Amino acid sequence: MYTKYRKHFLDAFKKSDVFYATFPHHVEIVTHWAEKLCDTHPEADRKAVIIAALFHDIGHFINVNGEDHAVVSEREAIKFLKKEGESDELINKVAHAVRAHRNSDVKPQTIEAKILTFSDSASHITAPDVYLYLAAGKYGKKSALEKIERDYRDLLLFPEEKKKLEGIYVAWKDVVNTFPEDFYPYIRKNEERSKNHNK
């Protein structure tokens, strides 16, 4: 059912000069979390949530001169969904969820947006590599620790799920704080190898 949306994201990812070692599997982990939350919150529009999950980060891979990726992703989702003849109701749900997924200048107001915001943050916490790649990158350990805190904050949208992830949150803080920085060059080399392998 979601093949064309998944393909659109993957096509943008493959064509882009932008590379993150955590993609495209990040989008699959977000989608997994979104499916789980839709199972426990049947009032949510599952189709809108899953499409939003597939589009929420596409803006990273479209050349837009430094514009916020959430803004670009929202615009791309609207354009694609209109082309596909989707209803205004679905488009509006997807657009808001995509735009609000960072929970910064735009806050998630709908159940669909809250599920996507939680799923994005939970995906970082449950992925094997996000925080170490971030710590080893140009913004360093401080940036990774700040992201862990932002992600944990977003889990408050679903307190029952947040409680289940508390131990992983604590463990990631400990890993980032104690991971030997002399190994960071190896992490960066692995990212570079992955980039060259995928292009």
Side-chain angles (χ1 to χ4, degrees):
M1 177 179 184
Y2 304 110
T3 305
K4 62 188 173 185
Y5 307 107
R6 185 173 278 107
K7 182 179 183 307
H8 188 68
F9 167 75
L10 288 172
D11 286 347
F13 169 75
K14 289 173 185 171
K15 289 175 189 171
S16 178
D17 292 332
V18 175
F19 179 82
Y20 299 107
T22 53
F23 282 86
H25 66 274
H26 164 67
V27 172
E28 294 306 318
I29 299 171
V30 174
T31 304
H32 175 76
W33 272 106
E35 292 275 15
K36 277 172 62 85
L37 284 172
C38 284
D39 288 345
T40 55
H41 293 274
E43 71 275 21
D45 182 334
R46 182 181 292 262
K47 182 176 179 182
V49 171
I50 303 307
I51 292 171
L54 293 168
F55 271 87
H56 80 284
D57 274 347
I58 198 169
H60 281 306
F61 305 102
I62 298 171
N63 188 357
V64 287
N65 303 319
E67 194 175 0
D68 181 345
H69 81 275
V71 173
V72 180
S73 297
E74 176 191 33
R75 196 163 54 232
E76 185 67 16
I78 292 169
K79 183 172 82 173
F80 188 81
L81 293 171
K82 281 185 174 175
K83 188 182 83 178
E84 291 296 315
E86 297 289 2
S87 70
D88 288 345
E89 181 183 8
L90 179 75
I91 292 170
N92 290 337
K93 286 177 183 177
V94 171
H96 172 64
V98 168
R99 182 63 182 86
H101 83 270
R102 294 178 61 233
N103 196 10
S104 56
D105 59 318
V106 175
K107 302 295 182 188
Q109 301 296 321
T110 63
I111 185 66
E112 293 81 15
K114 290 174 183 177
I115 287 174
L116 179 59
T117 299
F118 179 99
S119 298
D120 188 41
S121 292
S123 78
H124 301 146
I125 288 175
T126 55
D129 49 11
V130 170
Y131 300 125
L132 283 179
Y133 276 119
L134 191 59
K138 64 181 177 180
Y139 299 110
K141 183 184 288 189
K142 182 175 182 284
S143 178
L145 290 168
E146 288 170 353
K147 183 157 187 62
I148 291 170
E149 294 303 330
R150 287 194 307 275
D151 287 337
Y152 191 61
R153 171 207 68 192
D154 291 345
L155 301 188
L156 274 171
L157 292 166
F158 295 94
E160 69 285 358
E161 295 294 335
K162 178 184 181 184
K163 190 164 180 56
K164 298 174 192 174
L165 296 175
E166 202 166 286
I168 303 173
Y169 154 74
V170 171
W172 268 120
K173 285 206 302 184
D174 190 42
V175 167
V176 171
N177 274 314
T178 60
F179 196 85
E181 292 187 32
D182 55 317
F183 280 89
Y184 284 174
Y186 298 101
I187 296 171
R188 288 192 288 270
K189 275 186 189 172
N190 184 58
E191 185 169 33
E192 194 58 38
R193 277 195 301 272
S194 297
K195 178 179 184 177
N196 293 332
H197 180 265
N198 287 315
K199 294 297 177 186

